[in-house]
Amino acid sequence: MDRLTPLPHAYRLARRDAQPSGTVVMLPNGAAFGGETVAICAGPCSVESREQIRSTAQTVAARGANVLRGGAFKPRTSPYAFQGLGADALKLLREAADACELSVVTEVMDPREVELVCAHADMVQIGARNMQNFSLLREVGESGKPVLLKRGLSATIHEWLMAAEYLLVSGNPNVVLCERGVRSFDNATRNLLDLSAVPLLRTLTHLPVIVDPSHGTGLAALVAPMGLAALAAGADGLLVEVHPNPSAAASDGQQSLSFEQFGAFMRQAEVVARAVGRAVPAATFAT
Ligand code: PEP
Ligand code: MN
């Protein structure tokens, strides 16, 4: 059998044949998810200071990133760990991104903060821990803001697409999926990065798919090889954690690339993207 009949209540808006040519999600600076040029989202796990986010924005823009990431509201396992700078971080992100023609993606955790985050960000991230927070999905859906929907910690592909469906049915067509690894039996890496999700999702949905090799592996040394593999598998973009001094990062330092490592990675990414008929963005800042 070469055709499957979809279930009546499954992801009717997200499914591939609802938009056979594929969806392209655009951000204000021209960054596109789903076009020939991939989107490169880069920046620290958490925004820590004006200088930290400013220097990171300049460096990643100069190496070909087109979206600045940085956590303002952080979902931390421990309530005693750094929780993010909140509203102050949103302003610092905006200022740093505007100076380098970058768009901003940052996580929103609370439906009551969607309006605040949307006022500063160009794209809102729904984190792995909130993939099935249905009231958050509906609120972000109603905002209409482009959304980066991470795969849940142990979500099936079906559950992930149903979460995307909540955003779409709330009136927001600008949904990008982000594979960031799932829990496995093996703790040798932080998560098990499911790169097969990329070509699989291509057949199931018209939504763009990007890959986060930072959370997907938890180890800086694995970020470049898995980021390159993601591009080879057809990802529409990458999300990479970059920090001026990873060993001193307030969160996720062990999986963050230094400026030098990010530069080396982007040179390789350009070659791999070209090999699969794609391109990396042009630099928007000169250092
Ligand atoms: C993050 O991007 O810093 C983050 C917390 O991601 P995830 O939700 O994938 O763990
Ligand atoms: Mn992180």
Side-chain angles (χ1 to χ4, degrees):
M1 191 168 89
D2 61 0
R3 282 188 54 166
L4 295 174
T5 309
L7 298 170
H9 298 296
Y11 43 91
R12 60 182 78 171
L13 298 175
R15 53 189 270 217
R16 180 85 220 178
D17 55 9
Q19 178 79 276
S21 59
T23 288
V24 180
V25 174
M26 298 285 305
L27 301 188
N29 71 336
F33 298 78
E36 186 185 321
T37 299
V38 298
I40 305 290
C41 313
C45 181
S46 307
V47 177
E48 297 166 11
S49 68
R50 172 174 277 123
E51 180 51 26
Q52 176 237 21
I53 195 67
R54 187 194 62 84
S55 63
T56 307
Q58 290 181 350
T59 302
V60 300
R63 305 286 175 260
N66 51 3
V67 183
L68 181 64
R69 67 145 286 144
F73 298 97
K74 294 303 303 177
R76 304 304 301 279
T77 299
S78 166
Y80 307 114
F82 178 60
Q83 305 284 303
L85 298 179
D88 290 343
L90 297 175
K91 292 189 198 117
L92 296 177
L93 267 172
R94 187 73 265 165
E95 177 186 293
D98 285 347
C100 309
E101 292 176 45
L102 296 169
S103 286
V104 168
V105 62
T106 193
E107 178 165 355
V108 65
M109 295 200 298
D110 187 326
R112 294 167 299 185
E113 285 160 355
V114 170
E115 202 177 324
L116 171 69
V117 173
C118 286
H120 295 87
D122 303 300
M123 179 177 226
V124 295
Q125 177 172 317
I126 294 182
R129 291 154 193 80
N130 272 316
M131 188 204 82
Q132 285 188 317
N133 180 338
F134 300 115
S135 42
L136 182 65
L137 292 168
R138 286 203 190 275
E139 196 71 26
V140 170
E142 284 164 20
S143 78
K145 203 51 124 172
V147 40
L148 191 59
L149 178 63
K150 294 247 191 151
R151 183 175 185 174
L153 302 177
S154 59
T156 65
I157 297 279
H158 184 83
E159 288 164 340
W160 189 13
L161 288 169
M162 293 310 290
E165 190 77 8
Y166 267 86
L167 294 163
L168 296 171
V169 81
S170 303
N172 191 341
N174 300 307
V175 179
V176 176
L177 301 170
C178 181
E179 165 61 43
R180 47 78 75 207
V182 289
R183 281 280 166 85
S184 87
F185 55 87
D186 190 347
N187 62 5
T189 54
R190 182 177 180 181
N191 289 298
L192 194 62
L193 184 60
D194 179 10
L195 289 185
S196 68
V198 177
L200 176 60
L201 285 165
R202 195 67 74 214
T203 70
L204 299 176
T205 181
H206 56 87
L207 298 173
V209 183
I210 74 165
V211 171
D212 169 358
S214 305
H215 296 87
T217 65
L219 297 166
L222 305 191
V223 169
M226 297 312 283
L228 298 175
L231 291 174
D236 295 307
L238 298 173
L239 185 140
V240 178
E241 287 187 336
V242 179
H243 193 282
N245 181 4
S247 60
S251 56
D252 285 351
Q254 70 293 344
Q255 66 191 35
S256 298
L257 299 187
S258 66
F259 291 171
E260 193 184 338
Q261 288 169 325
F262 182 71
F265 169 63
M266 286 301 293
R267 287 191 290 278
Q268 295 177 302
E270 185 181 358
V271 178
V272 173
R274 203 177 327 121
V276 292
R278 310 293 284 268
V280 296
T284 56
F285 191 85
T287 49

